[in-house]
Amino acid sequence: MTDVSVTSLLDRDAIRGLMDRYCLALFAADARLLHALYWPGAHEEHGDYRGTAEGFVEQLAPILRQRISTVACLAYRTIDFVSSTEAEAHGFGHITVVSGPSEARTSALLATRYDDLVEKRDGEWRIRQRTASLIFKREL
């Protein structure tokens, strides 16, 4: 196996690990971890939100903290390398959310498509641009 092939496999694994940490950040309602997944100046399009990733995290953090449980699973179907330091990653996620007090608890399942441009700097992969499109939301 060539060095390029090994590097490609390691980079794909690192990008998948980045997405695993995204799921962990949602589960733990950890805004600091969520913020660390994006490069400074990254752009986010998520539902009605259009702007910086930092602004998105600031908007999302209090919502996550109010939830009882958020469990996410992302599956990246394609990771296409644009260069040795840029890749387009496309995948789908299922997110289950439980919120509200026990007498008025609600649950929902969301399916989302993620289209990311990720970038490697100093050996680390992070999100530079994300478009998240809701496919469906079902109350449970």
Side-chain angles (χ1 to χ4, degrees), residues 7-24 37 73-81 87-91 116 118 125-127 130:
T7 300
S8 176
L9 288 172
L10 293 172
D11 284 339
R12 283 180 198 281
D13 188 56
I15 293 167
R16 287 188 180 101
L18 172 68
M19 302 315 159
D20 289 344
R21 289 190 305 281
Y22 181 80
C23 294
L24 176 62
L37 304 174
C73 178
L74 273 63
Y76 273 73
R77 306 314 316 157
T78 62
I79 298 172
D80 299 315
F81 290 96
E88 294 176 350
H90 306 280
D116 297 331
V118 294
W125 287 96
R126 291 191 196 180
I127 302 165
R130 165 168 278 176

mmCIF file of all heavy atoms in Angstrom, residues 7-24 37 73-81 87-91 116 118 125-127 130:
data_model
loop_
_atom_site.group_PDB
_atom_site.id
_atom_site.type_symbol
_atom_site.label_atom_id
_atom_site.label_comp_id
_atom_site.label_asym_id
_atom_site.label_seq_id
_atom_site.Cartn_x
_atom_site.Cartn_y
_atom_site.Cartn_z
ATOM 1 N N THR A 7 -2.373 7.481 3.884
ATOM 2 C CA THR A 7 -2.785 8.818 4.313
ATOM 3 C C THR A 7 -4.269 9.033 4.056
ATOM 4 O O THR A 7 -4.987 9.564 4.909
ATOM 5 C CB THR A 7 -1.950 9.897 3.596
ATOM 6 O OG1 THR A 7 -0.573 9.704 3.931
ATOM 7 C CG2 THR A 7 -2.379 11.301 3.996
ATOM 8 N N SER A 8 -4.745 8.599 2.900
ATOM 9 C CA SER A 8 -6.167 8.736 2.564
ATOM 10 C C SER A 8 -7.042 7.977 3.554
ATOM 11 O O SER A 8 -8.066 8.487 4.020
ATOM 12 C CB SER A 8 -6.415 8.238 1.136
ATOM 13 O OG SER A 8 -7.783 8.278 0.839
ATOM 14 N N LEU A 9 -6.653 6.762 3.902
ATOM 15 C CA LEU A 9 -7.411 5.970 4.884
ATOM 16 C C LEU A 9 -7.407 6.641 6.259
ATOM 17 O O LEU A 9 -8.448 6.709 6.925
ATOM 18 C CB LEU A 9 -6.834 4.555 4.989
ATOM 19 C CG LEU A 9 -7.091 3.628 3.813
ATOM 20 C CD1 LEU A 9 -6.286 2.335 3.975
ATOM 21 C CD2 LEU A 9 -8.570 3.326 3.691
ATOM 22 N N LEU A 10 -6.256 7.147 6.669
ATOM 23 C CA LEU A 10 -6.162 7.825 7.964
ATOM 24 C C LEU A 10 -6.988 9.110 7.974
ATOM 25 O O LEU A 10 -7.653 9.422 8.966
ATOM 26 C CB LEU A 10 -4.705 8.116 8.309
ATOM 27 C CG LEU A 10 -3.829 6.891 8.591
ATOM 28 C CD1 LEU A 10 -2.367 7.301 8.730
ATOM 29 C CD2 LEU A 10 -4.321 6.163 9.831
ATOM 30 N N ASP A 11 -6.959 9.844 6.857
ATOM 31 C CA ASP A 11 -7.747 11.072 6.779
ATOM 32 C C ASP A 11 -9.244 10.772 6.794
ATOM 33 O O ASP A 11 -10.010 11.460 7.470
ATOM 34 C CB ASP A 11 -7.374 11.872 5.528
ATOM 35 C CG ASP A 11 -6.041 12.595 5.671
ATOM 36 O OD1 ASP A 11 -5.596 12.820 6.815
ATOM 37 O OD2 ASP A 11 -5.456 12.946 4.630
ATOM 38 N N ARG A 12 -9.682 9.750 6.083
ATOM 39 C CA ARG A 12 -11.104 9.366 6.112
ATOM 40 C C ARG A 12 -11.522 8.997 7.542
ATOM 41 O O ARG A 12 -12.600 9.386 8.001
ATOM 42 C CB ARG A 12 -11.368 8.184 5.187
ATOM 43 C CG ARG A 12 -11.415 8.531 3.740
ATOM 44 C CD ARG A 12 -11.681 7.290 2.878
ATOM 45 N NE ARG A 12 -11.307 7.536 1.508
ATOM 46 C CZ ARG A 12 -12.050 8.218 0.646
ATOM 47 N NH1 ARG A 12 -13.207 8.699 1.022
ATOM 48 N NH2 ARG A 12 -11.632 8.411 -0.585
ATOM 49 N N ASP A 13 -10.670 8.269 8.235
ATOM 50 C CA ASP A 13 -10.975 7.889 9.610
ATOM 51 C C ASP A 13 -11.051 9.128 10.514
ATOM 52 O O ASP A 13 -11.924 9.231 11.371
ATOM 53 C CB ASP A 13 -9.927 6.902 10.123
ATOM 54 C CG ASP A 13 -10.305 6.328 11.470
ATOM 55 O OD1 ASP A 13 -11.412 5.747 11.578
ATOM 56 O OD2 ASP A 13 -9.505 6.464 12.406
ATOM 57 N N ALA A 14 -10.156 10.075 10.301
ATOM 58 C CA ALA A 14 -10.153 11.308 11.098
ATOM 59 C C ALA A 14 -11.422 12.127 10.829
ATOM 60 O O ALA A 14 -12.002 12.703 11.751
ATOM 61 C CB ALA A 14 -8.908 12.133 10.798
ATOM 62 N N ILE A 15 -11.873 12.172 9.586
ATOM 63 C CA ILE A 15 -13.097 12.907 9.244
ATOM 64 C C ILE A 15 -14.309 12.218 9.873
ATOM 65 O O ILE A 15 -15.184 12.876 10.441
ATOM 66 C CB ILE A 15 -13.247 13.048 7.714
ATOM 67 C CG1 ILE A 15 -12.138 13.967 7.171
ATOM 68 C CG2 ILE A 15 -14.636 13.571 7.351
ATOM 69 C CD1 ILE A 15 -11.984 13.933 5.662
ATOM 70 N N ARG A 16 -14.353 10.911 9.837
ATOM 71 C CA ARG A 16 -15.453 10.192 10.503
ATOM 72 C C ARG A 16 -15.407 10.423 12.020
ATOM 73 O O ARG A 16 -16.436 10.567 12.660
ATOM 74 C CB ARG A 16 -15.393 8.705 10.167
ATOM 75 C CG ARG A 16 -15.822 8.426 8.736
ATOM 76 C CD ARG A 16 -15.956 6.934 8.460
ATOM 77 N NE ARG A 16 -16.376 6.736 7.093
ATOM 78 C CZ ARG A 16 -15.569 6.391 6.092
ATOM 79 N NH1 ARG A 16 -14.296 6.162 6.313
ATOM 80 N NH2 ARG A 16 -16.046 6.232 4.875
ATOM 81 N N GLY A 17 -14.214 10.483 12.577
ATOM 82 C CA GLY A 17 -14.062 10.784 13.999
ATOM 83 C C GLY A 17 -14.565 12.182 14.333
ATOM 84 O O GLY A 17 -15.166 12.400 15.388
ATOM 85 N N LEU A 18 -14.334 13.124 13.433
ATOM 86 C CA LEU A 18 -14.854 14.477 13.592
ATOM 87 C C LEU A 18 -16.371 14.448 13.701
ATOM 88 O O LEU A 18 -16.963 15.093 14.570
ATOM 89 C CB LEU A 18 -14.410 15.334 12.396
ATOM 90 C CG LEU A 18 -14.983 16.729 12.247
ATOM 91 C CD1 LEU A 18 -14.488 17.644 13.356
ATOM 92 C CD2 LEU A 18 -14.591 17.297 10.876
ATOM 93 N N MET A 19 -17.022 13.660 12.858
ATOM 94 C CA MET A 19 -18.480 13.559 12.888
ATOM 95 C C MET A 19 -18.972 12.811 14.131
ATOM 96 O O MET A 19 -20.024 13.131 14.674
ATOM 97 C CB MET A 19 -18.991 12.898 11.617
ATOM 98 C CG MET A 19 -18.586 13.641 10.351
ATOM 99 S SD MET A 19 -18.830 15.445 10.473
ATOM 100 C CE MET A 19 -17.735 16.014 9.196
ATOM 101 N N ASP A 20 -18.185 11.848 14.604
ATOM 102 C CA ASP A 20 -18.534 11.176 15.867
ATOM 103 C C ASP A 20 -18.500 12.171 17.027
ATOM 104 O O ASP A 20 -19.352 12.134 17.918
ATOM 105 C CB ASP A 20 -17.572 10.021 16.157
ATOM 106 C CG ASP A 20 -17.757 8.835 15.227
ATOM 107 O OD1 ASP A 20 -18.812 8.745 14.557
ATOM 108 O OD2 ASP A 20 -16.837 7.989 15.169
ATOM 109 N N ARG A 21 -17.510 13.071 17.018
ATOM 110 C CA ARG A 21 -17.423 14.080 18.076
ATOM 111 C C ARG A 21 -18.586 15.073 17.991
ATOM 112 O O ARG A 21 -19.056 15.585 19.014
ATOM 113 C CB ARG A 21 -16.070 14.804 18.040
ATOM 114 C CG ARG A 21 -14.929 13.902 18.491
ATOM 115 C CD ARG A 21 -13.624 14.639 18.694
ATOM 116 N NE ARG A 21 -13.171 15.403 17.558
ATOM 117 C CZ ARG A 21 -12.549 14.891 16.479
ATOM 118 N NH1 ARG A 21 -12.326 13.592 16.398
ATOM 119 N NH2 ARG A 21 -12.150 15.669 15.503
ATOM 120 N N TYR A 22 -19.093 15.316 16.784
ATOM 121 C CA TYR A 22 -20.288 16.156 16.619
ATOM 122 C C TYR A 22 -21.469 15.506 17.343
ATOM 123 O O TYR A 22 -22.193 16.166 18.093
ATOM 124 C CB TYR A 22 -20.587 16.349 15.125
ATOM 125 C CG TYR A 22 -21.788 17.209 14.835
ATOM 126 C CD1 TYR A 22 -21.709 18.599 14.882
ATOM 127 C CD2 TYR A 22 -23.012 16.640 14.488
ATOM 128 C CE1 TYR A 22 -22.811 19.396 14.606
ATOM 129 C CE2 TYR A 22 -24.114 17.426 14.211
ATOM 130 C CZ TYR A 22 -24.004 18.798 14.262
ATOM 131 O OH TYR A 22 -25.105 19.582 13.989
ATOM 132 N N CYS A 23 -21.652 14.219 17.132
ATOM 133 C CA CYS A 23 -22.735 13.490 17.816
ATOM 134 C C CYS A 23 -22.547 13.532 19.327
ATOM 135 O O CYS A 23 -23.511 13.738 20.072
ATOM 136 C CB CYS A 23 -22.790 12.035 17.330
ATOM 137 S SG CYS A 23 -23.268 11.860 15.610
ATOM 138 N N LEU A 24 -21.327 13.340 19.791
ATOM 139 C CA LEU A 24 -21.036 13.397 21.225
ATOM 140 C C LEU A 24 -21.349 14.779 21.791
ATOM 141 O O LEU A 24 -21.927 14.898 22.872
ATOM 142 C CB LEU A 24 -19.573 13.031 21.487
ATOM 143 C CG LEU A 24 -19.108 13.135 22.940
ATOM 144 C CD1 LEU A 24 -19.892 12.178 23.828
ATOM 145 C CD2 LEU A 24 -17.616 12.876 23.031
ATOM 146 N N LEU A 37 -15.176 21.849 16.717
ATOM 147 C CA LEU A 37 -15.249 21.041 15.507
ATOM 148 C C LEU A 37 -15.175 21.885 14.238
ATOM 149 O O LEU A 37 -15.008 21.351 13.140
ATOM 150 C CB LEU A 37 -16.550 20.226 15.493
ATOM 151 C CG LEU A 37 -16.760 19.328 16.708
ATOM 152 C CD1 LEU A 37 -18.132 18.681 16.656
ATOM 153 C CD2 LEU A 37 -15.665 18.282 16.803
ATOM 154 N N CYS A 73 -26.809 10.076 15.404
ATOM 155 C CA CYS A 73 -25.971 9.123 14.685
ATOM 156 C C CYS A 73 -25.813 9.636 13.262
ATOM 157 O O CYS A 73 -26.801 9.819 12.552
ATOM 158 C CB CYS A 73 -26.627 7.746 14.692
ATOM 159 S SG CYS A 73 -25.674 6.527 13.765
ATOM 160 N N LEU A 74 -24.580 9.913 12.866
ATOM 161 C CA LEU A 74 -24.305 10.381 11.510
ATOM 162 C C LEU A 74 -23.570 9.306 10.738
ATOM 163 O O LEU A 74 -22.647 8.682 11.262
ATOM 164 C CB LEU A 74 -23.442 11.642 11.536
ATOM 165 C CG LEU A 74 -24.152 12.975 11.666
ATOM 166 C CD1 LEU A 74 -24.881 13.089 12.968
ATOM 167 C CD2 LEU A 74 -23.177 14.101 11.485
ATOM 168 N N ALA A 75 -23.997 9.099 9.507
ATOM 169 C CA ALA A 75 -23.333 8.141 8.624
ATOM 170 C C ALA A 75 -22.870 8.888 7.379
ATOM 171 O O ALA A 75 -23.703 9.424 6.638
ATOM 172 C CB ALA A 75 -24.295 7.016 8.246
ATOM 173 N N TYR A 76 -21.576 8.960 7.193
ATOM 174 C CA TYR A 76 -21.036 9.644 6.023
ATOM 175 C C TYR A 76 -20.852 8.646 4.899
ATOM 176 O O TYR A 76 -20.060 7.719 4.997
ATOM 177 C CB TYR A 76 -19.756 10.416 6.372
ATOM 178 C CG TYR A 76 -20.155 11.768 6.869
ATOM 179 C CD1 TYR A 76 -20.720 11.905 8.123
ATOM 180 C CD2 TYR A 76 -20.103 12.863 6.053
ATOM 181 C CE1 TYR A 76 -21.187 13.118 8.568
ATOM 182 C CE2 TYR A 76 -20.573 14.088 6.486
ATOM 183 C CZ TYR A 76 -21.109 14.206 7.732
ATOM 184 O OH TYR A 76 -21.588 15.411 8.163
ATOM 185 N N ARG A 77 -21.663 8.817 3.864
ATOM 186 C CA ARG A 77 -21.667 7.883 2.741
ATOM 187 C C ARG A 77 -20.524 8.154 1.784
ATOM 188 O O ARG A 77 -20.023 7.241 1.154
ATOM 189 C CB ARG A 77 -22.998 7.937 1.993
ATOM 190 C CG ARG A 77 -24.229 7.721 2.833
ATOM 191 C CD ARG A 77 -24.213 6.554 3.817
ATOM 192 N NE ARG A 77 -23.676 5.308 3.336
ATOM 193 C CZ ARG A 77 -23.182 4.363 4.130
ATOM 194 N NH1 ARG A 77 -23.149 4.521 5.424
ATOM 195 N NH2 ARG A 77 -22.718 3.261 3.634
ATOM 196 N N THR A 78 -20.166 9.426 1.607
ATOM 197 C CA THR A 78 -19.049 9.734 0.710
ATOM 198 C C THR A 78 -18.137 10.767 1.352
ATOM 199 O O THR A 78 -18.601 11.687 2.021
ATOM 200 C CB THR A 78 -19.522 10.287 -0.660
ATOM 201 O OG1 THR A 78 -20.225 11.506 -0.456
ATOM 202 C CG2 THR A 78 -20.416 9.286 -1.376
ATOM 203 N N ILE A 79 -16.866 10.566 1.142
ATOM 204 C CA ILE A 79 -15.850 11.552 1.488
ATOM 205 C C ILE A 79 -14.963 11.649 0.256
ATOM 206 O O ILE A 79 -14.254 10.698 -0.092
ATOM 207 C CB ILE A 79 -15.034 11.137 2.730
ATOM 208 C CG1 ILE A 79 -15.944 11.028 3.957
ATOM 209 C CG2 ILE A 79 -13.907 12.137 2.974
ATOM 210 C CD1 ILE A 79 -15.277 10.435 5.189
ATOM 211 N N ASP A 80 -15.061 12.778 -0.435
ATOM 212 C CA ASP A 80 -14.302 12.996 -1.666
ATOM 213 C C ASP A 80 -13.235 14.045 -1.414
ATOM 214 O O ASP A 80 -13.543 15.175 -1.025
ATOM 215 C CB ASP A 80 -15.237 13.468 -2.790
ATOM 216 C CG ASP A 80 -16.314 12.461 -3.117
ATOM 217 O OD1 ASP A 80 -15.981 11.262 -3.221
ATOM 218 O OD2 ASP A 80 -17.484 12.864 -3.264
ATOM 219 N N PHE A 81 -11.985 13.668 -1.646
ATOM 220 C CA PHE A 81 -10.883 14.587 -1.417
ATOM 221 C C PHE A 81 -10.737 15.530 -2.603
ATOM 222 O O PHE A 81 -10.574 15.091 -3.742
ATOM 223 C CB PHE A 81 -9.580 13.827 -1.158
ATOM 224 C CG PHE A 81 -9.604 13.120 0.171
ATOM 225 C CD1 PHE A 81 -9.964 11.786 0.263
ATOM 226 C CD2 PHE A 81 -9.310 13.812 1.337
ATOM 227 C CE1 PHE A 81 -10.014 11.149 1.483
ATOM 228 C CE2 PHE A 81 -9.363 13.191 2.566
ATOM 229 C CZ PHE A 81 -9.711 11.850 2.638
ATOM 230 N N ALA A 87 -11.743 18.217 1.796
ATOM 231 C CA ALA A 87 -12.606 17.113 1.381
ATOM 232 C C ALA A 87 -14.060 17.553 1.478
ATOM 233 O O ALA A 87 -14.422 18.381 2.315
ATOM 234 C CB ALA A 87 -12.376 15.885 2.266
ATOM 235 N N GLU A 88 -14.871 16.981 0.597
ATOM 236 C CA GLU A 88 -16.319 17.147 0.661
ATOM 237 C C GLU A 88 -16.881 15.876 1.277
ATOM 238 O O GLU A 88 -16.608 14.774 0.788
ATOM 239 C CB GLU A 88 -16.897 17.362 -0.728
ATOM 240 C CG GLU A 88 -16.444 18.665 -1.364
ATOM 241 C CD GLU A 88 -16.950 18.822 -2.787
ATOM 242 O OE1 GLU A 88 -17.493 17.847 -3.360
ATOM 243 O OE2 GLU A 88 -16.792 19.925 -3.334
ATOM 244 N N ALA A 89 -17.632 16.044 2.359
ATOM 245 C CA ALA A 89 -18.209 14.898 3.059
ATOM 246 C C ALA A 89 -19.725 15.032 3.015
ATOM 247 O O ALA A 89 -20.269 16.092 3.343
ATOM 248 C CB ALA A 89 -17.719 14.858 4.503
ATOM 249 N N HIS A 90 -20.383 13.973 2.583
ATOM 250 C CA HIS A 90 -21.837 13.979 2.449
ATOM 251 C C HIS A 90 -22.402 12.803 3.224
ATOM 252 O O HIS A 90 -21.940 11.676 3.074
ATOM 253 C CB HIS A 90 -22.249 13.868 0.975
ATOM 254 C CG HIS A 90 -21.608 14.902 0.116
ATOM 255 N ND1 HIS A 90 -22.076 16.196 0.046
ATOM 256 C CD2 HIS A 90 -20.522 14.843 -0.694
ATOM 257 C CE1 HIS A 90 -21.304 16.883 -0.782
ATOM 258 N NE2 HIS A 90 -20.358 16.093 -1.236
ATOM 259 N N GLY A 91 -23.404 13.095 4.049
ATOM 260 C CA GLY A 91 -23.974 12.022 4.836
ATOM 261 C C GLY A 91 -25.351 12.355 5.357
ATOM 262 O O GLY A 91 -25.940 13.391 5.029
ATOM 263 N N ASP A 116 -20.777 18.788 3.928
ATOM 264 C CA ASP A 116 -19.699 19.513 4.599
ATOM 265 C C ASP A 116 -18.495 19.698 3.696
ATOM 266 O O ASP A 116 -18.161 18.817 2.889
ATOM 267 C CB ASP A 116 -19.223 18.745 5.834
ATOM 268 C CG ASP A 116 -20.302 18.591 6.887
ATOM 269 O OD1 ASP A 116 -21.178 19.473 6.969
ATOM 270 O OD2 ASP A 116 -20.264 17.600 7.627
ATOM 271 N N VAL A 118 -14.729 20.061 4.642
ATOM 272 C CA VAL A 118 -13.828 19.955 5.784
ATOM 273 C C VAL A 118 -12.410 20.256 5.317
ATOM 274 O O VAL A 118 -12.058 20.040 4.159
ATOM 275 C CB VAL A 118 -13.916 18.569 6.471
ATOM 276 C CG1 VAL A 118 -15.277 18.376 7.106
ATOM 277 C CG2 VAL A 118 -13.636 17.441 5.499
ATOM 278 N N TRP A 125 -8.395 17.829 11.108
ATOM 279 C CA TRP A 125 -9.574 18.056 10.266
ATOM 280 C C TRP A 125 -10.667 18.737 11.078
ATOM 281 O O TRP A 125 -10.967 18.318 12.201
ATOM 282 C CB TRP A 125 -10.112 16.734 9.720
ATOM 283 C CG TRP A 125 -9.262 16.146 8.658
ATOM 284 C CD1 TRP A 125 -8.295 15.188 8.818
ATOM 285 C CD2 TRP A 125 -9.282 16.458 7.263
ATOM 286 N NE1 TRP A 125 -7.716 14.897 7.610
ATOM 287 C CE2 TRP A 125 -8.312 15.663 6.634
ATOM 288 C CE3 TRP A 125 -10.039 17.339 6.493
ATOM 289 C CZ2 TRP A 125 -8.069 15.707 5.258
ATOM 290 C CZ3 TRP A 125 -9.801 17.388 5.118
ATOM 291 C CH2 TRP A 125 -8.825 16.583 4.522
ATOM 292 N N ARG A 126 -11.244 19.796 10.496
ATOM 293 C CA ARG A 126 -12.402 20.472 11.086
ATOM 294 C C ARG A 126 -13.330 20.916 9.954
ATOM 295 O O ARG A 126 -12.943 20.969 8.794
ATOM 296 C CB ARG A 126 -11.995 21.715 11.885
ATOM 297 C CG ARG A 126 -11.240 21.437 13.154
ATOM 298 C CD ARG A 126 -11.156 22.719 13.948
ATOM 299 N NE ARG A 126 -10.157 22.661 14.991
ATOM 300 C CZ ARG A 126 -9.912 23.662 15.810
ATOM 301 N NH1 ARG A 126 -10.566 24.810 15.688
ATOM 302 N NH2 ARG A 126 -8.995 23.545 16.751
ATOM 303 N N ILE A 127 -14.532 21.300 10.343
ATOM 304 C CA ILE A 127 -15.530 21.754 9.374
ATOM 305 C C ILE A 127 -15.251 23.213 9.006
ATOM 306 O O ILE A 127 -15.081 24.054 9.880
ATOM 307 C CB ILE A 127 -16.951 21.631 9.963
ATOM 308 C CG1 ILE A 127 -17.246 20.186 10.361
ATOM 309 C CG2 ILE A 127 -17.996 22.168 8.975
ATOM 310 C CD1 ILE A 127 -18.442 20.013 11.268
ATOM 311 N N ARG A 130 -20.715 24.014 6.436
ATOM 312 C CA ARG A 130 -21.707 22.952 6.594
ATOM 313 C C ARG A 130 -23.066 23.447 6.115
ATOM 314 O O ARG A 130 -23.483 24.546 6.418
ATOM 315 C CB ARG A 130 -21.817 22.514 8.051
ATOM 316 C CG ARG A 130 -23.073 21.674 8.320
ATOM 317 C CD ARG A 130 -23.048 21.006 9.645
ATOM 318 N NE ARG A 130 -22.249 19.789 9.489
ATOM 319 C CZ ARG A 130 -21.942 18.975 10.478
ATOM 320 N NH1 ARG A 130 -22.346 19.238 11.696
ATOM 321 N NH2 ARG A 130 -21.225 17.898 10.266
#
